[in-house]
Amino acid sequence: MIEMKNRSNLKRLLAAILVFFLGAALFISSLTGTGTPFLCSLPKSVDDYTPTAVQLQAVLHYATSHTTPQQSRGEIGVSFEVLKSRAPCNFLVFGLGHDSLMWASFNPRGTTLFLEEDPKWVQTILKDAPELRAETVNYRTQLKQADELLSSHKSEPACARSGAVLRGNERCRLALSNLPDEVYEKEWDLIMIDAPRGYFPEAPGRMAAIFSAAVMARRRRGSGATHVFLHDVDRRVEKAFAEEFLCRKYLVKAVGRLWHFEIPSAANATDAAGARFC
């Protein structure tokens, strides 16, 4: 009886700590942002809540580290509001970093998968956060090719909206054709694009990530739209490819350097089918 009571008290204590530190860490990370407080989605009662391993790891990480997420509090809040209503869900994130524990903890008991270009960086992050799931991606593009890719895709049938696929699509250079099977087989409710690197000519750039996210959203078979979040839209390439493939008409919110799109599947889209995405 005493042991059961002690376990119950420990469970409540861990949940209470989770509520406090997740809210405190995110609040401290940016005192200048605005938006709905993060604590509003956390449980009002801790009696029936068991924190997941990744949530507890996030508490430890953000409570003991001076490293904060790279997005502002306002930008994080955009994705967080959607995760509050959709979690547990399928959440695909391009990029792995110091904010990854935060994203995974926002989707408890859901599937959160990170795609990262640098295998050494994957090892570095997973060493301290083994609960995270991450896969390495090989990109076929370079940032200096962005203008040419933005033009040439229009003459390549394998890149056309009406027939675009990803797996095995070697003809379309914008298609991420060699991802793990899980990425192709699972329908992703949310897609965050905050990688790969796109700030020097030889970097992969985010052209393929943006195109591939658009294809995933358009090929969705389940109900509802796919939420796509694109960071660093203050940069020319990100903005141009977003307008080409994610479409201004599907842009529902813009905060700081983040754009939020709600993209319907091809079956539910009201626009006519064709080669162009937008």
Side-chain angles (χ1 to χ4, degrees):
M1 181 70 70
I2 294 177
E3 183 178 354
M4 290 180 62
K5 183 176 180 180
N6 288 338
R7 288 181 178 177
S8 177
N9 290 338
L10 178 60
K11 174 181 171 182
R12 296 179 64 182
L13 175 62
L14 288 174
I17 292 173
L18 172 69
V19 170
F20 175 78
F21 276 114
L22 276 182
L26 288 168
F27 177 75
I28 293 171
S29 70
S30 177
L31 295 175
T32 59
T34 59
T36 305
F38 288 92
L39 286 175
C40 62
S41 77
L42 295 173
K44 296 179 180 179
S45 172
V46 300
D47 291 332
D48 299 319
Y49 185 77
T50 301
T52 64
V54 73
Q55 287 178 317
L56 293 175
Q57 180 68 25
V59 170
L60 177 63
H61 173 76
Y62 293 113
T64 59
S65 173
H66 295 294
T67 303
T68 56
Q70 64 183 36
Q71 293 185 25
S72 70
R73 184 172 184 267
E75 292 167 345
I76 293 170
V78 176
S79 309
F80 183 74
E81 286 297 320
V82 178
L83 282 165
K84 282 201 304 182
S85 63
R86 297 297 294 268
C89 64
N90 296 328
F91 186 17
L92 183 66
V93 183
F94 285 87
L96 181 71
H98 298 297
D99 53 359
S100 297
L101 273 171
M102 176 189 69
W103 294 125
S105 69
F106 286 167
N107 187 29
R109 298 171 181 84
T111 297
T112 304
L113 179 63
F114 299 91
L115 302 180
E116 170 58 40
E117 63 177 296
D118 185 352
K120 291 184 178 180
W121 182 242
V122 171
Q123 293 176 6
T124 298
I125 294 297
L126 295 188
K127 180 181 179 181
D128 295 328
E131 297 85 0
L132 297 178
R133 297 185 58 221
E135 298 285 352
T136 303
V137 181
N138 294 316
Y139 290 91
R140 297 184 288 161
T141 59
Q142 290 187 331
L143 183 64
K144 61 186 178 183
Q145 302 168 333
D147 291 338
E148 185 267 324
L149 289 168
L150 192 62
S151 174
S152 64
H153 84 87
K154 299 172 185 177
S155 59
E156 174 51 68
C159 295
R161 187 191 97 178
S162 56
V165 296
L166 297 180
R167 180 158 38 192
N169 186 352
E170 299 294 335
R171 292 174 57 191
C172 180
R173 287 184 291 160
L174 289 171
L176 292 176
S177 59
N178 58 350
L179 298 174
D181 289 340
E182 179 184 5
V183 179
Y184 301 124
E185 295 168 358
K186 195 177 292 291
E187 292 202 338
W188 300 99
D189 304 300
L190 284 78
I191 302 175
M192 170 74 71
I193 305 172
D194 207 357
R197 293 171 296 172
Y199 51 85
F200 60 95
E202 291 74 27
R206 298 182 186 171
M207 302 84 70
I210 293 171
F211 174 85
S212 297
V215 172
M216 292 178 195
R218 290 293 192 166
R219 295 182 65 84
R220 182 181 179 90
R221 297 180 300 275
S223 61
T226 302
H227 296 265
V228 179
F229 307 91
L230 175 62
H231 198 226
D232 296 319
V233 294
D234 56 319
R235 302 195 301 212
R236 182 181 67 86
V237 170
E238 278 81 353
K239 184 176 181 180
F241 275 76
E243 292 177 338
E244 181 72 14
F245 297 111
L246 303 179
C247 310
R248 277 272 186 178
K249 61 186 173 182
Y250 299 134
L251 178 63
V252 295
K253 197 163 189 178
V255 175
R257 297 180 294 142
L258 184 88
W259 280 358
H260 171 204
F261 299 84
E262 289 186 23
I263 303 178
S265 67
N268 296 322
T270 57
D271 51 345
R276 300 293 297 273
F277 281 75
C278 302

